[in-house]
């Protein structure tokens, strides 16, 4: 998986960043993402440079999306990785147009729960914390869908 900054930042805030190492054999982040987080990232998150062509593409596309989002998508394509962690709606749409599979912070929590790394109650508590304490915008409809998804795997 290749990640953008916001999933890393949100997972750190709710103390779930280590779950990424349980869910994925490889977690990559491009340089702009590492710089944007301002975090001392754990060793399991590897910073990878873009190719010269990829870097040129990012420079030419700036303004449509943020550098970190663009670098994450380009790195995923260059590495042959289809899953990219991005929260921004426009960036997720663009990732899909590029043939990538976007997953957001909430999707990462649901995945961790389904893989058995979080129980349903803890997962929902962490989702609530993201929304109520850390300012992740979530519509009432999506929040209900997340509650259903987290409970559905135990019914």
């Amino acid at each position: 998986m290749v990640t953008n900054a916001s999933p890393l930042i949100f997972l750190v805030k709710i103390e779930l960043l280590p779950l990424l190492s349980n869910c994925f054999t490889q977690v990559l982040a491009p340089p702009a993402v590492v710089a944007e987080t301002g975090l001392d990232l754990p060793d399991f998150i590897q910073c990878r440079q873009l190719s010269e062509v990829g870097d040129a593409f990012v420079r030419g596309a700036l303004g449509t999306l943020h550098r970190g989002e663009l670098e994450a998508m380009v790195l995923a394509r260059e590495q042959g990785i289809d899953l990219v962690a991005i929260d921004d709606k426009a960036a997720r749409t663009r990732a899909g147009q590029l043939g990538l599979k976007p997953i957001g912070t909430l999707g990462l929590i649901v995945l961790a729960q389904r893989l058995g790394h979080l129980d349903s109650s803890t997962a929902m508590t962490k989702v609530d914390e993201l929304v109520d304490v850390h300012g992740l915008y979530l519509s009432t409809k999506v929040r209900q869908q997340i509650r259903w998804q987290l409970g559905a795997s135990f019914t």
Side-chain angles (χ1 to χ4, degrees):
M1 176 195 65
V2 176
T3 186
N4 183 37
S6 64
L8 296 176
I9 293 166
F10 279 129
L11 290 173
V12 164
K13 287 181 178 187
I14 60 171
E15 301 177 344
L16 289 183
L17 187 62
L19 283 179
L20 293 180
S21 67
N22 296 331
C23 296
F24 302 101
T25 56
Q26 184 178 49
V27 180
L28 304 179
V33 167
V34 173
E36 184 180 337
T37 66
L39 301 169
D40 185 21
L41 295 173
D43 290 341
F44 70 83
I45 300 174
Q46 302 170 19
C47 181
R48 289 274 173 88
Q49 298 291 326
L50 303 178
S51 69
E52 288 183 30
V53 171
D55 192 50
F57 173 83
V58 169
R59 284 192 312 271
L62 281 175
T64 59
L65 296 171
H66 295 108
R67 178 176 285 280
E69 295 163 342
L70 290 165
E71 281 192 11
M73 288 183 253
V74 169
L75 182 61
R77 297 270 317 246
E78 288 184 347
Q79 297 290 317
I81 297 170
D82 63 350
L83 191 65
V84 62
I86 296 180
D87 286 322
D88 180 77
K89 185 176 181 177
R92 291 168 61 90
T93 298
R94 183 67 181 132
Q97 292 167 344
L98 292 172
L100 301 169
K101 296 176 183 171
I103 186 170
T105 302
L106 298 176
L108 292 169
I109 293 170
V110 170
L111 176 66
Q113 184 258 345
R114 289 191 175 161
L115 292 174
H117 301 299
L118 275 179
D119 63 70
S120 183
S121 175
T122 300
M124 197 61 231
T125 297
K126 295 297 187 177
V127 169
D128 289 341
E129 183 181 341
L130 279 172
V131 175
D132 299 336
V133 177
H134 300 293
L136 178 70
Y137 171 75
L138 200 57
S139 70
T140 302
K141 180 180 177 182
V142 171
R143 201 169 187 173
Q144 289 172 343
Q145 289 172 339
I146 294 295
R147 284 189 186 283
W148 181 85
Q149 287 179 356
L150 290 172
S153 63
F154 287 96
T155 57

